[in-house]
């Protein structure tokens, strides 16, 4: 992958996890159990330590019943510009894949927008997101094979597809320098 995506400040994640866990009325132990992660991992994340992967944060979001973006979005100013390669990104531990949150769903709306960069090599398998999630994908460069398990489609620059995000699905870069925009709609 060209360049290294910037990492999310751990204090954003820590504050969001504490806030959402309190809102849900869950103990550390109960949330860790629901997310399928070690209690010590969750404790470290809430303390602003550790190095969370996309998979860990998605699991916590699903367990809390909130979109991934709620856990990683910084406080928003009135005008926000994200320069290419500088947005808050989280890398996958299983594939050459990084997700950069461009816009979280504002109050009253239920959508998040991501810019994704991926390189050929490994498939990025995604567990189901919260019920009712629909994904919209638009390829900017390269080629990607994406979609629900058993229904993946190869896409090229300019191609658009939509599919359920609350079922197992995947993304696989088929060309170097693959990038795409993903809009997650939470119904």
């Amino acid at each position: 992958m060209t360049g290294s995506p910037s990492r999310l400040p751990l204090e954003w994640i820590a504050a969001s996890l504490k806030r959402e866990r309190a809102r849900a009325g869950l103990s550390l132990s109960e949330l860790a159990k629901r997310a399928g992660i070690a209690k010590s991992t969750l404790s470290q994340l809430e303390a602003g330590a550790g190095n969370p992967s996309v998979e860990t944060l998605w699991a916590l979001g699903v367990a809390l019943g909130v979109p991934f973006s709620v856990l990683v979005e910084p406080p928003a100013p009135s005008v926000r510009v994200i320069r290419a390669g500088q947005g808050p990104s989280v890398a996958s531990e299983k594939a050459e894949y990084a997700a950069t949150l461009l816009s979280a769903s504002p109050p009253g709306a239920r959508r998040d927008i991501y810019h994704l960069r991926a390189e050929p090599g490994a498939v990025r398998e995604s567990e189901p997101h919260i019920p009712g999630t629909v994904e919209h994908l638009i390829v900017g460069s390269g080629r990607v094979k994406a979609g629900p398990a058993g229904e993946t489609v190869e896409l090229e620059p300019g191609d658009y597809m939509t599919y359920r995000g609350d079922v197992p699905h995947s993304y696989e870069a088929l060309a170097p320098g693959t990038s795409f925009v993903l809009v997650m709609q939470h119904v």
Side-chain angles (χ1 to χ4, degrees):
M1 195 176 297
T2 55
S4 175
S6 58
R7 295 294 301 176
L8 288 172
L10 293 175
E11 60 271 12
W12 295 352
I13 294 169
S16 297
L17 282 171
K18 287 183 222 172
R19 178 189 68 236
E20 293 304 319
R21 187 172 61 81
R23 181 198 51 77
L26 297 173
S27 67
L28 270 172
S29 297
E30 182 60 25
L31 177 55
K33 179 180 171 185
R34 288 183 184 189
I37 65 170
K39 180 181 173 185
S40 59
T41 299
L42 178 56
S43 181
Q44 280 185 326
L45 292 176
E46 284 198 4
N51 188 16
S53 67
V54 168
E55 292 81 5
T56 297
L57 293 174
W58 277 118
L60 286 165
V62 170
L64 288 164
V66 299
F68 172 82
S69 60
V70 168
L71 301 180
V72 300
E73 183 181 37
S78 59
V79 173
R80 185 170 176 214
V81 174
I82 299 174
R83 302 285 180 208
Q86 295 182 355
S89 293
V90 180
S92 172
E93 62 188 26
K94 298 179 180 174
E96 188 76 21
Y97 173 96
T100 301
L101 176 65
L102 299 178
S103 174
S105 182
R110 305 262 307 160
R111 64 93 191 116
D112 302 320
I113 304 171
Y114 296 90
H115 179 254
L116 299 137
R117 295 181 302 141
E119 294 295 330
V123 176
R124 164 69 176 101
E125 301 286 344
S126 184
E127 295 297 318
H129 305 307
I130 61 177
T133 299
V134 175
E135 294 191 359
H136 304 268
L137 188 152
I138 303 166
V139 179
S141 63
R143 289 184 12 256
V144 65
K145 184 176 180 182
E151 298 180 77
T152 57
V153 176
E154 287 189 25
L155 303 166
E156 296 184 358
D159 288 349
Y160 162 83
M161 76 179 295
T162 187
Y163 51 89
R164 290 181 53 191
D166 59 0
V167 297
H169 53 285
S170 65
Y171 316 94
E172 179 183 6
L174 301 176
T178 295
S179 69
F180 52 98
V181 172
L182 180 71
V183 176
M184 294 187 81
Q185 173 183 321
H186 309 288
V187 186

